[in-house]
């Protein structure tokens, strides 16, 4: 009788043991839809860089350019992966997927998938709007237009969704699997830095680097991501790693794009363009990022509070100023007019007389008082966005679904 009971109990445990073994195996791999969202943000960022280069090398072309297709491929990938995950979590029978999901309008799925799905919809909605905008207001317009802002908002939602999706996985994982997810988190954070750099491109050329507007623009775009991700990551140098990946991405574009031939298709053409024009040398974000990592290690467990945000905001601008100001002097010198630093590239529609005054700083702050006021606003902007980053990072550390 006793043996029969033990045998029956063993038989009952076998399915549970097998199920746990399968779950343990799966826990070691990053889910396919996380990879898909990582591919989506990568495609959108690469397409955006390519599209801007296309505009300054060739001009506004057909909507069906490869650059546009790369951008909207990101929206399609995010929408399909997120939609499938939401539908399987809602109507599937997996208790695990339902336990790690939230409910929105009767549907269930990871919070990051809902954000990424909405971002994909926003991106695809902006496509015909952008086409109409160019037809109504001109073939080639500024980066920050209404449809481009809508597109950027969609890309931003996909990126935030991907971050939250990985954060939820990181917060539930441990050991080697957590380290693997942490690397994915830093990669997506780096792609967000690339997107921030692209959106602030018109405010950060080399001729603005001795002006407070440059530092304010950088402070409004980069610290939020650097701080938020560093609050979640278990890496020793999270901000430095993200900044290094951002720098590598921009350097790759600077050195690879000019290898491909291109010719303007719109007039007026003021510059002789024979190859793709890359975007300019990356901002030296790696220096303030390293300073933020040192501050994080010094603060230890206190990292994440309002005092840290105040210190981080000041440290970010101070380190950026110390690195970028002298480097700007180098960029406008003849020594930087080569393929390594890319200071000799111009858009096809830059005025012909630009060559006579391109290598000098724009004097936007007319007086010392205006300069001091502008730098104070840059520090204030840095503190504000560091504070938002701290709040976002502290919340992301608690995300489980």
């Amino acid at each position: 009788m006793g043996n029969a009971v033990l045998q029956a109990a063993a038989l009952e445990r076998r399915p549970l043991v097998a199920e746990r073994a399968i779950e343990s195996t799966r826990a070691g791999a990053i889910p396919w839809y996380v990879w898909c969202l990582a591919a989506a943000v990568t495609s959108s960022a690469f397409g955006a860089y390519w599209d801007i280069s296309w505009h300054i090398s060739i001009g506004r072309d057909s909507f069906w350019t490869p650059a546009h297709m790369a951008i909207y491929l990101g929206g399609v990938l995010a929408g399909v992966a997120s939609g499938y995950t939401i539908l399987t979590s809602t109507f599937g029978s997996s208790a695990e997927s339902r336990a790690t999901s939230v409910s929105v309008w009767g549907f269930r799925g990871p919070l990051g998938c809902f954000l990424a799905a909405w971002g994909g919809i926003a991106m695809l909605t902006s496509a015909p709007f952008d086409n109409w905008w160019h037809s109504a207001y001109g073939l080639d317009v500024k980066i920050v237009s209404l449809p481009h802002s809508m597109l950027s908002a969609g890309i931003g939602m996909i990126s935030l969704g991907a971050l939250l999706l990985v954060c939820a996985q990181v917060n539930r994982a441990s050991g080697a699997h957590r380290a693997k997810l942490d690397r994915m988190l830093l990669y997506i954070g780096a792609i967000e830095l690339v997107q921030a750099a692209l959106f602030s491109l018109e405010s950060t050329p080399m001729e603005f680097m001795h002006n407070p507007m440059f530092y304010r623009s950088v402070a409004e775009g980069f610290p939020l991501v650097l701080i938020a991700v560093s609050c979640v990551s278990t890496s020793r140098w999270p901000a430095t790693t993200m900044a290094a990946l951002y720098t590598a991405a921009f350097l790759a574009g600077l050195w690879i794009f000019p290898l491909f031939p291109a010719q303007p298709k719109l007039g007026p053409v003021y510059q002789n363009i024979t190859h793709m024009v890359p975007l300019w040398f990356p901002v030296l974000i790696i220096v303030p990022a390293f300073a933020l990592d040192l501050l994080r290690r010094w603060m230890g467990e206190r990292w994440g509070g309002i005092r840290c945000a105040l210190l981080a905001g000041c440290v970010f601008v101070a380190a950026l100023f110390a690195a970028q100001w002298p480097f700007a002097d180098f960029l406008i010198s003849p020594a930087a007019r080569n393929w390594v630093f890319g200071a000799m590239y111009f858009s096809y529609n830059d005025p012909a007389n630009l060559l006579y005054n391109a290598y000098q700083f724009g004097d936007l702050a007319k007086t010392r008082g205006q300069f001091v006021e502008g730098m104070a606003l840059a520090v204030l902007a840095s503190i504000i966005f560091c504070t938002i980053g701290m709040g976002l990072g502290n919340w992301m550390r608690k995300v489980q679904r």
Side-chain angles (χ1 to χ4, degrees):
M1 182 69 179
N3 290 335
V5 172
L6 291 175
Q7 289 176 358
L11 290 173
E12 290 178 357
R13 283 198 302 270
R14 282 179 185 174
L16 295 175
V17 172
E19 184 177 350
R20 288 172 182 171
I22 293 173
E23 290 178 358
S24 176
T25 302
R26 289 176 178 172
I30 298 176
W32 69 271
Y33 51 87
V34 177
W35 284 107
C36 205
L37 285 186
V41 297
T42 303
S43 181
S44 295
F46 171 70
Y49 186 106
W50 192 1
D51 186 47
I52 296 172
S53 176
W54 195 288
H55 275 249
I56 63 179
S57 309
I58 300 172
R60 167 74 178 180
D61 206 343
S62 162
F63 173 78
W64 304 101
T65 62
H68 281 174
M69 295 304 98
I71 293 173
Y72 293 108
L73 175 63
V76 172
L77 285 174
V80 170
S82 300
Y84 180 84
T85 304
I86 290 169
L87 291 176
T88 54
S89 298
T90 303
F91 301 107
S93 57
S94 172
E96 181 184 358
S97 63
R98 293 180 66 85
T100 57
S101 62
V102 297
S103 179
V104 178
W105 296 339
F107 292 93
R108 297 196 66 86
L111 176 61
C113 285
F114 280 107
L115 289 177
W118 294 333
I121 293 172
M123 282 185 64
L124 298 178
T125 302
S126 72
F129 185 29
D130 182 50
N131 210 35
W132 170 85
W133 187 275
H134 281 289
S135 299
Y137 297 105
L139 290 172
D140 216 9
V141 294
K142 292 184 176 296
I143 296 173
V144 186
S145 64
L146 188 57
H148 288 175
S149 297
M150 184 176 178
L151 175 65
S152 297
I155 295 175
M157 289 181 70
I158 293 174
S159 301
L160 179 58
L163 274 181
L164 291 179
L165 192 61
V166 176
C167 282
Q169 300 267 339
V170 167
N171 295 335
R172 299 196 306 265
S174 60
H177 183 50
R178 183 185 177 98
K180 188 188 302 183
L181 287 165
D182 193 77
R183 290 193 291 270
M184 175 71 79
L185 181 69
L186 295 179
Y187 172 78
I188 295 175
I191 297 298
E192 290 212 21
L193 292 181
V194 171
Q195 293 169 355
L198 293 175
F199 197 70
S200 62
L201 208 60
E202 292 174 343
S203 303
T204 55
M206 63 180 182
E207 59 267 24
F208 287 3
M209 291 180 182
H210 278 189
N211 190 275
M213 185 180 72
F214 170 87
Y215 296 94
R216 180 178 173 181
S217 180
V218 174
E220 291 173 348
F222 291 89
L224 190 152
V225 177
L226 292 171
I227 294 293
V229 175
S230 71
C231 288
V232 182
S233 175
T234 56
S235 170
R236 296 185 65 186
W237 307 98
T240 306
T241 301
M242 288 185 288
L245 291 174
Y246 147 77
T247 303
F250 259 72
L251 288 177
L254 177 65
W255 297 337
I256 294 174
F257 269 63
L259 300 178
F260 296 90
Q263 187 175 2
K265 293 184 177 181
L266 288 174
V269 178
Y270 295 120
Q271 305 294 334
N272 182 28
I273 301 299
T274 59
H275 292 76
M276 293 292 289
V277 178
L279 308 186
W280 39 79
F281 197 89
V283 177
L284 299 183
I285 294 299
I286 195 166
V287 176
F290 179 69
L292 289 178
D293 278 335
L294 291 177
L295 179 64
R296 172 177 175 259
R297 297 184 68 178
W298 178 60
M299 297 298 293
E301 295 297 326
R302 295 171 293 173
W303 184 253
I306 187 65
R307 181 185 175 190
C308 294
L310 292 172
L311 287 174
C314 297
V315 165
F316 181 87
V317 173
L320 177 66
F321 184 88
Q324 197 71 48
W325 188 278
F327 187 66
D329 289 322
F330 169 77
L331 285 179
I332 65 168
S333 71
R337 298 167 200 174
N338 50 61
W339 68 271
V340 177
F341 298 99
M344 77 293 195
Y345 295 117
F346 296 92
S347 169
Y348 78 90
N349 56 4
D350 281 335
N353 63 353
L354 182 67
L355 289 173
Y356 296 105
N357 60 6
Y359 300 105
Q360 61 182 359
F361 296 114
D363 189 19
L364 301 180
K366 302 297 183 181
T367 65
R368 181 175 297 180
Q370 289 179 345
F371 181 85
V372 172
E373 180 183 355
M375 291 304 299
L377 290 175
V379 173
L380 178 61
S382 181
I383 291 173
I384 290 173
F385 281 92
C386 284
T387 303
I388 296 173
M390 290 289 185
L392 179 61
N394 289 333
W395 174 66
M396 289 196 304
R397 281 192 295 191
K398 302 174 184 177
V399 172
Q400 296 284 335
R401 303 183 177 190

